[in-house]
Amino acid sequence: MNLKVLYGTMKKELMIKYRAYPAHFFVGNTLTGLYTVLGAWMMWKFLFEGNMAQDFSEITGTGDYISYVVVGSLTYLFVVRTCLNVSRSLITELREGTLESLMLAPFKRAEYFLGSMLVQTLTTSAEIIVSLIIAIPFGIDLSRADMGAFLIAFIVSLYAFFGVSMVLGSIMLYTRDTYISQNTLFAFLFLVCGISFPVQYLPEWLRVIAEVIPVTEAVNLIRVTLLSGSGISEQMQSVQYILLLSTAYVVVGFMQMKRCEEIALEKING
Amino acid sequence: MRPFIKALAAEMIKQHKNYFHSKMIYVSLFVWPFLNFITTYYSFKVFDIGKSKIAYITAENMVVYLLLGYMCMSFFRSLVQSAWNFSFERISGTLELIYLSPVNRAAVLLGNAVSSLFESVFVMLIFSLLVIVMKVEVLIIKILPCITVFFIVTAMAVAWGMFLNSLFLFSRDSDFLFTILEEPMEIFSGVKVPTALFPLWAKAISIIFPLTYAIEAVRRVVLTGSSLYEIREFAVIGIGITVVLFALISVIIKRVESHMRITGNITLF
Amino acid sequence: MIIAEHLKKTYIVKQGKGLFREKQEIQAVRDISLQIEKGKIVGLLGINGAGKTTTIKMLTTLLSPTEGSYFLDDIDGVKYPVEIKKRINMIAGGERMIYWRLTAYENLWYYGQIYNVSNNVLKERIDTLLKLVGLENKKDVPVETFSKGMKQRLQIARGLINDPQYLFLDEPTIGLDAVVSKELRSHIKHLAKEQNKGILITSHYMGEIEELCDYIYIMNDGVLIKKGTVKELTTETFNRKNYVLRLDKHSKEITECICDKLKVVDATVEVKDENDAIYINSRENISMELSRACMEAGLYIREMYEKEPHLEDAIIRLSREVHHEAVY
């Protein structure tokens, strides 16, 4: 692997990020985390005074709604940020007119994308940690977290998110649209991936769709390791499933991306 | 007056053609609120609905209760979006040309707000049909109060849209305003949790959003069959808010232009 | 007639980031007076940052002057900017400032509405304007499919939508190819001479200014440093001849020798030695003397030609002079 591309992309992304996104970007992102938590908390506290439905604890194995929803929402936030960065990286280059010069350079896609993802992982992790701290007063309970298992779950999930963003990225490059495709996908993921309620509530056909999106299982895995302290060995099946599914996404994403790049470049010239 | 109406109409037509050139935009108007709504519907299911503290929320009409909230919100939100769109005029340089012309600035802002309202009314109709088809039995509606509320809500939405337009136009960090305004509006204006249940601090936040009053009024006339007399308070508040917003708008328009002519920079904040 | 006197514009700029921003005064325009007559084309020249754009923005009422007076046909522009706006328009080069998703016709229609052009006049005017800029066949096509030149021509039509009495052109031909800019220049001439409009134009192209302008103002560092007709300015500033000379041999001695010989004819002559060529700047036509000097020295001339002065050179020269005056 030529680490120069990786390093170069990372440095470029960091520089752009640092210059173009001042502090308010960070504040904005953490605010989004806060709002999600706040919205759920207010429902729980004021409207229903903590009265959960009977089947909630049966399905999830916990009556702790707040921890459930906070972990779900923050993971969702991570998916969104990854997609925003990785998927949009190429189309941004296309729009700013730098795609052509990028293509001229002997350029390795995988490293390019990994570079932009790593930078984003760093900044998003910081945002998430701040959001988690904000969530403490709302009553999130991480006392049973298995940090080792969580770290593995986190890395596996990153791979899953990467796969999803590759597919989204090729759609964006093909349609040359970011706004509609990304937000539709985000709204859909929020619905089906078990972010704020268990997927078991969904109708059967939606659950089938949810199962083939790696995010669903990733959210589950993160939740299990953080909240019920399950070790990674107990979750091996789930890990394997995510890895397999995400690989399929990455492969499809890369193939499509390559095709779309060519189409996109033709469109510039045309 | 005629130039004002001409400019208003032209602005509406222009914005419509400029932003609704592609059918995809309807995705953002229908699909997103719809997906959001379903998600919220399911996230309500994790609770024991029978134990909610608001009398008019029951397992039967919860869907309608939520739909009404979402309907009002997407009404207001489309105006936030139109304001955001309008801020692109500064980047593309067309705003400068509007300032170069003698056109009435308020007419341009109003035209922009009203044009997005047409689409929202359409969305509202679809939502309403959905409500009627799904749960006609829970509706207790008196026609006159319902129409009154509709008009006041529309006036409030337009004023709110114009107000945001003027803010977004002249602030460099319009994205930031977006994150500050949009999500809190959803949380604090009672889309999911009625503001009556809020503690004091949350109520204090909720009173700044016109949407708060709109949602409450709509729910009351649709779910509890309030009479005109029972919603008189809302009518007064709604008209009051509209007047205050229009006053603010005209001050902002004047201040911004004179500020711009002095500094050569539209950014006020 | 537009009469602007002693216009001055001072900006307060906030420096740095965050809460504690320092305020700094920047004098974009220190003192400028100019006149634009109907039917005349006036050029405004300057090097970048000379204050041209600020001046145009003051004349178009987008900026209010810090000091000075501005009258357009006896209307006080400082007090009644809206009245001025009705009578003027501005055309800036480049592709921005139109709605890309609207068609050419729709763009013009929109601007016609906000200028309150009456609807029966407007339709006819749009057709005439589209014909004028050669876009009549493209009027129902969205602007995003237009080429750069077409977008710019649409800009020109847009600038004429309110039938302005005075027109401000800010680098109207920037980025246009030779054919299109030539057409454009004849349009501009037509507007002034046939339609009796007062026009102010800024440009970086010397030829354009020379061809079009009845009167020229030259700005540097926020002040007017020269004004006059093209003829007056040429005799004052641009009359000096520039020659480029390449010889078969090249040395400092040769350059000095040539310089000495030329000084006899024209005491103000300047000889510069750069790369492998000698650059000569003189008041008179000295091509005869130059070739004679080479022959006498036994030098073989590989190349010798007179260089047309560029606007850029002239302005740099002028601004340097101004700078010197300020120092000494």
Side-chain angles (χ1 to χ4, degrees):
Chain A
M1 209 186 212
N2 182 357
L3 288 176
K4 259 192 166 157
V5 177
L6 185 68
Y7 176 72
T9 312
M10 273 183 73
K11 197 166 170 188
K12 182 197 79 177
E13 289 289 318
L14 261 179
M15 265 156 55
I16 292 176
K17 207 166 213 147
Y18 181 72
R19 282 182 199 149
Y21 305 106
H24 77 62
F25 190 74
F26 186 84
V27 176
N29 286 348
T30 43
L31 273 183
T32 310
L34 171 68
Y35 292 145
T36 326
V37 174
L38 191 63
W41 179 75
M42 284 172 78
M43 247 160 78
W44 174 76
K45 171 103 179 168
F46 298 126
L47 187 55
F48 295 107
E49 293 188 306
N51 291 310
M52 302 310 295
Q54 200 71 56
D55 49 358
F56 177 73
S57 51
E58 282 164 20
I59 295 169
T60 59
T62 167
D64 185 358
Y65 173 69
I66 288 301
S67 300
Y68 181 89
V69 107
V70 167
V71 172
S73 305
L74 294 184
T75 313
Y76 170 73
L77 206 65
F78 215 104
V79 180
V80 169
R81 296 286 163 238
T82 310
C83 285
L84 283 181
N85 263 274
V86 179
S87 312
R88 287 180 65 137
S89 53
L90 267 194
I91 191 147
T92 307
E93 307 264 4
L94 177 76
R95 282 180 183 164
E96 286 171 359
T98 43
L99 183 63
E100 261 176 317
S101 52
L102 204 68
M103 293 287 156
L104 285 175
F107 135 82
K108 296 204 175 81
R109 266 164 211 83
E111 286 158 49
Y112 174 80
F113 288 122
L114 276 177
S116 45
M117 178 157 173
L118 280 177
V119 171
Q120 170 271 324
T121 305
L122 287 179
T123 47
T124 311
S125 299
E127 288 162 18
I128 298 286
I129 288 168
V130 173
S131 304
L132 259 180
I133 294 170
I134 295 173
I136 290 173
F138 291 101
I140 182 172
D141 176 16
L142 294 179
S143 57
R144 272 179 292 178
D146 180 337
M147 282 326 271
F150 167 69
L151 267 180
I152 294 169
F154 180 65
I155 291 164
V156 171
S157 302
L158 280 183
Y159 183 59
F161 303 162
F162 182 67
V164 174
S165 24
M166 292 306 288
V167 173
L168 174 66
S170 59
I171 295 174
M172 282 177 171
L173 209 54
Y174 182 74
T175 58
R176 300 184 79 176
D177 154 82
T178 49
Y179 187 63
I180 303 280
S181 34
Q182 87 195 18
N183 289 312
T184 310
L185 181 80
F186 295 160
F188 185 72
L189 290 181
F190 195 66
L191 171 62
V192 302
C193 293
I195 309 295
S196 63
F197 59 88
V199 287
Q200 281 80 351
Y201 282 109
L202 291 171
E204 191 58 37
W205 61 277
L206 268 179
R207 280 174 64 187
V208 174
I209 298 178
E211 279 312 306
V212 292
I213 300 172
V215 176
T216 312
E217 202 51 46
V219 173
N220 235 340
L221 187 63
I222 287 184
R223 231 180 232 138
V224 168
T225 52
L226 263 187
L227 298 181
S228 56
S230 164
I232 205 72
S233 52
E234 298 158 48
Q235 300 298 329
M236 251 0 246
Q237 214 178 349
S238 160
V239 169
Q240 279 166 359
Y241 180 73
I242 296 173
L243 286 178
L244 212 67
L245 195 59
S246 310
T247 306
Y249 270 69
V250 171
V251 170
V252 171
F254 263 89
M255 274 161 49
Q256 279 302 104
M257 192 75 86
K258 221 176 155 180
R259 268 194 49 206
C260 293
E261 261 167 32
E262 284 157 13
I263 295 170
L265 276 179
E266 275 166 23
K267 278 185 187 162
I268 303 180
N269 299 328
Chain B
M1 200 60 200
R2 274 209 59 204
F4 185 92
I5 291 166
K6 259 178 102 164
L8 175 72
E11 181 65 27
M12 281 165 62
I13 293 168
K14 177 200 81 185
Q15 290 300 357
H16 180 82
K17 288 191 169 148
N18 210 14
Y19 296 116
F20 288 80
H21 58 100
S22 124
K23 299 283 167 285
M24 288 303 277
I25 197 82
Y26 291 99
V27 171
S28 76
L29 279 173
F30 296 107
V31 180
W32 299 350
F34 188 67
L35 284 176
N36 266 328
F37 162 69
I38 303 182
T39 309
T40 308
Y41 172 75
Y42 281 114
S43 52
F44 262 65
K45 283 203 144 184
V46 304
F47 296 108
D48 188 352
I49 292 155
K51 288 193 181 147
S52 88
K53 283 209 311 197
I54 286 283
Y56 63 72
I57 303 178
T58 59
E60 281 78 50
N61 71 4
M62 190 196 78
V63 183
V64 177
Y65 158 86
L66 273 179
L67 260 177
L68 292 174
Y70 269 88
M71 190 165 84
C72 294
M73 190 179 68
S74 62
F75 205 57
F76 275 73
R77 191 179 258 181
S78 70
L79 286 154
V80 178
Q81 238 175 48
S82 93
W84 192 62
N85 276 335
F86 200 37
S87 66
F88 283 113
E89 299 236 359
R90 195 182 43 189
I91 299 161
S92 68
T94 44
L95 182 66
E96 195 175 326
L97 289 180
I98 291 174
Y99 272 113
L100 184 70
S101 79
V103 71
N104 185 311
R105 279 69 171 126
V108 175
L109 289 185
L110 184 61
N112 186 47
V114 173
S115 90
S116 75
L117 210 68
F118 276 121
E119 279 80 21
S120 324
V121 168
F122 196 54
V123 175
M124 210 160 167
L125 270 177
I126 298 218
F127 267 100
S128 313
L129 278 179
L130 217 67
V131 171
I132 292 168
V133 169
M134 286 171 81
K135 293 271 174 184
V136 73
E137 68 276 10
V138 300
L139 305 183
I140 313 162
I141 301 176
K142 288 200 183 97
I143 298 295
L144 197 61
C146 203
I147 292 172
T148 313
V149 165
F150 174 77
F151 279 111
I152 296 176
V153 167
T154 309
M156 265 161 69
V158 169
W160 177 245
M162 271 179 84
F163 175 67
L164 290 184
N165 263 340
S166 56
L167 283 185
F168 274 59
L169 271 184
F170 313 122
S171 159
R172 199 178 10 199
D173 299 330
S174 43
D175 282 3
F176 190 45
L177 268 178
F178 210 54
T179 43
I180 285 191
L181 281 177
E182 189 163 292
E183 286 164 290
M185 188 164 90
E186 182 171 345
I187 296 174
F188 289 108
S189 53
V191 177
K192 295 176 191 167
V193 183
T195 49
L197 299 179
F198 282 4
L200 204 60
W201 62 269
K203 269 190 183 143
I205 301 174
S206 75
I207 56 170
I208 62 165
F209 296 108
L211 177 60
T212 307
Y213 310 99
I215 288 181
E216 189 60 29
V218 168
R219 278 186 184 144
R220 277 212 225 144
V221 293
V222 175
L223 289 176
T224 65
S226 295
S227 65
L228 265 185
Y229 182 74
E230 283 168 303
I231 54 160
R232 65 189 187 284
E233 206 176 311
F234 160 75
V236 171
I237 292 174
I239 293 168
I241 287 176
T242 312
V243 170
V244 168
L245 282 176
F246 272 110
L248 273 176
I249 293 158
S250 64
V251 170
I252 292 178
I253 288 175
K254 281 219 182 75
R255 267 213 59 197
V256 162
E257 186 150 9
S258 67
H259 173 88
M260 189 192 74
R261 292 190 67 219
I262 290 168
T263 62
N265 196 344
I266 293 171
T267 310
L268 241 189
F269 308 106
Chain C
M1 185 154 84
I2 286 181
I3 304 172
E5 273 174 347
H6 303 296
L7 291 184
K8 183 177 162 186
K9 184 71 203 175
T10 313
Y11 292 119
I12 310 279
V13 180
K14 286 177 185 163
Q15 290 268 314
K17 282 181 178 178
L19 285 173
F20 304 102
R21 290 189 287 189
E22 260 176 62
K23 283 185 181 176
Q24 199 183 6
E25 260 189 24
I26 290 180
Q27 294 192 317
V29 169
R30 289 189 285 165
D31 184 2
I32 185 160
S33 304
L34 53 78
Q35 299 186 348
I36 306 166
E37 266 178 78
K38 277 193 177 164
K40 291 273 169 16
I41 304 176
V42 168
L44 182 61
L45 308 181
I47 34 178
N48 288 333
K52 279 182 300 176
T53 307
T54 307
T55 306
I56 286 197
K57 284 194 168 171
M58 282 194 281
L59 295 176
T60 52
T61 73
L62 285 172
L63 280 175
S64 55
T66 315
E67 270 173 41
S69 68
Y70 172 36
F71 285 90
L72 183 147
D73 294 343
D74 298 323
I75 302 168
D76 188 337
V78 182
K79 275 192 194 149
Y80 307 106
V82 176
E83 289 306 308
I84 303 290
K85 286 178 208 275
K86 290 178 187 167
R87 293 166 172 80
I88 60 161
N89 214 323
M90 176 179 74
I91 297 167
E95 310 169 71
R96 290 163 74 242
M97 296 182 153
I98 29 178
Y99 297 99
W100 285 31
R101 281 173 178 153
L102 268 54
T103 65
Y105 186 91
E106 287 166 347
N107 263 291
L108 295 181
W109 177 84
Y110 171 71
Y111 284 109
Q113 296 299 309
I114 67 172
Y115 276 98
N116 193 27
V117 180
S118 92
N119 283 340
N120 24 4
V121 178
L122 184 61
K123 206 175 150 15
E124 211 171 297
R125 190 176 289 165
I126 293 177
D127 287 336
T128 320
L129 287 176
L130 284 174
K131 211 169 279 170
L132 177 77
V133 294
L135 290 171
E136 69 266 37
N137 298 326
K138 294 272 185 185
K139 68 176 201 170
D140 294 322
V141 179
V143 172
E144 55 189 345
T145 61
F146 281 20
S147 72
K148 209 172 185 180
M150 285 156 75
K151 283 182 195 133
Q152 218 149 326
R153 279 185 275 159
L154 182 60
Q155 272 294 349
I156 292 155
R158 205 256 328 134
L160 295 169
I161 196 73
N162 60 331
D163 193 20
Q165 292 157 22
Y166 296 93
L167 198 53
F168 297 87
L169 304 166
D170 196 0
E171 309 259 358
T173 55
I174 197 162
L176 288 184
D177 65 47
V179 182
V180 179
S181 29
K182 198 175 168 212
E183 272 173 30
L184 182 61
R185 283 199 294 274
S186 69
H187 286 329
I188 294 172
K189 240 186 272 176
H190 173 87
L191 289 171
K193 304 304 164 201
E194 309 296 323
Q195 298 191 19
N196 200 34
K197 294 186 191 309
I199 295 176
L200 181 133
I201 180 171
T202 73
S203 177
H204 271 104
Y205 306 115
M206 183 62 190
E208 196 163 278
I209 296 293
E210 277 201 73
E211 185 189 331
L212 289 174
C213 295
D214 300 300
Y215 204 81
I216 295 175
Y217 294 92
I218 299 177
M219 287 186 80
N220 179 55
D221 200 16
V223 283
L224 216 54
I225 51 170
K226 276 258 162 40
K227 60 181 178 180
T229 61
V230 175
K231 209 169 172 197
E232 286 166 358
L233 286 178
T234 351
T235 42
E236 259 187 69
T237 324
F238 305 140
N239 71 333
R240 292 187 69 89
K241 305 276 180 190
N242 281 293
Y243 299 92
V244 179
L245 179 67
R246 281 202 178 80
L247 302 165
D248 56 341
K249 275 182 258 168
H250 195 76
S251 73
K252 217 178 166 185
E253 288 74 37
I254 294 173
T255 312
E256 272 167 18
C257 164
I258 288 173
C259 183
D260 289 343
K261 290 190 174 176
L262 293 177
K263 278 263 159 75
V264 182
V265 193
D266 179 354
T268 67
V269 82
E270 286 172 22
V271 180
K272 257 195 296 180
D273 193 11
E274 254 170 50
N275 298 331
D276 59 342
I278 301 168
Y279 294 86
I280 299 119
N281 177 285
S282 71
R283 193 165 51 198
E284 315 273 328
N285 184 336
I286 52 157
S287 50
M288 284 291 286
E289 287 78 5
L290 190 54
S291 45
R292 195 177 298 135
C294 293
M295 266 162 54
E296 283 170 10
L299 294 161
Y300 175 65
I301 301 175
R302 279 170 54 197
E303 193 179 21
M304 184 179 117
Y305 59 87
E306 192 185 328
K307 215 171 90 179
E308 284 293 317
H310 285 289
L311 174 63
E312 227 65 45
D313 302 333
I315 288 174
I316 290 167
R317 193 184 172 85
L318 276 171
S319 61
R320 206 181 288 150
E321 279 169 20
V322 171
H323 190 68
H324 277 285
E325 275 166 26
V327 174
Y328 303 111

